[in-house]
Amino acid sequence: MTGRRALSAHHDGSELYVPQGTPALGDVVPVRVRVPAASAERGVHLRTVRDGEPMITAARPDGTDGVDRWYVAEVAVHNPVTSYRFLLDEPDGYRWLNGRGLHARDVPDAADFRLT
């Protein structure tokens, strides 16, 4: 995408979203997500799974650049590969953001973002 930003929430593995480097077990890694300023989200949450149990934590606002609002949440690295995705609470329902994009329904964990 040259010179334009996506019109929906976005997260990827670049330094804007995830610190560079390899996290060790026990580390806590801040991950960021960008939501267009025109969105009407009521909140953004982070979903991880630990010992088979889904855990949802609130992301907190992390600034705005006039075009987008940023949120940040911490992922506790509890396995050599730790997966996560974002949940956006929007007026017309919930949306999940994973590595394949934005979804209006819950989706399998296979395409979740990963810290390795």
Side-chain angles (χ1 to χ4, degrees), residues 4-112:
R4 291 185 33 201
R5 291 207 174 158
L7 298 176
S8 63
H10 182 78
H11 173 82
D12 62 38
S14 73
E15 286 185 29
L16 285 174
Y17 301 92
V18 181
Q20 293 301 303
T22 303
L25 289 176
D27 284 352
V28 175
V29 178
V31 294
R32 298 175 73 213
V33 62
R34 176 176 48 80
V35 179
S39 295
E41 80 281 350
R42 295 180 289 216
V44 176
H45 306 274
L46 178 79
R47 177 191 181 269
T48 58
V49 176
R50 184 170 186 138
D51 297 330
E53 295 294 325
M55 299 172 59
I56 306 274
T57 57
R60 61 188 184 281
D62 192 38
T64 183
D65 60 12
V67 176
D68 299 302
R69 283 186 298 277
W70 291 83
Y71 291 85
V72 65
E74 282 78 31
V75 176
V77 179
H78 56 273
N79 284 321
V81 177
T82 301
S83 300
Y84 63 96
R85 72 175 89 152
F86 295 95
L87 174 66
L88 284 77
D89 179 1
E90 299 178 340
D92 60 345
Y94 293 101
R95 305 246 189 270
W96 292 101
L97 176 64
N98 68 7
R100 291 195 181 129
L102 204 56
H103 309 275
R105 59 179 172 73
D106 198 2
V107 292
D109 297 346
D112 282 358

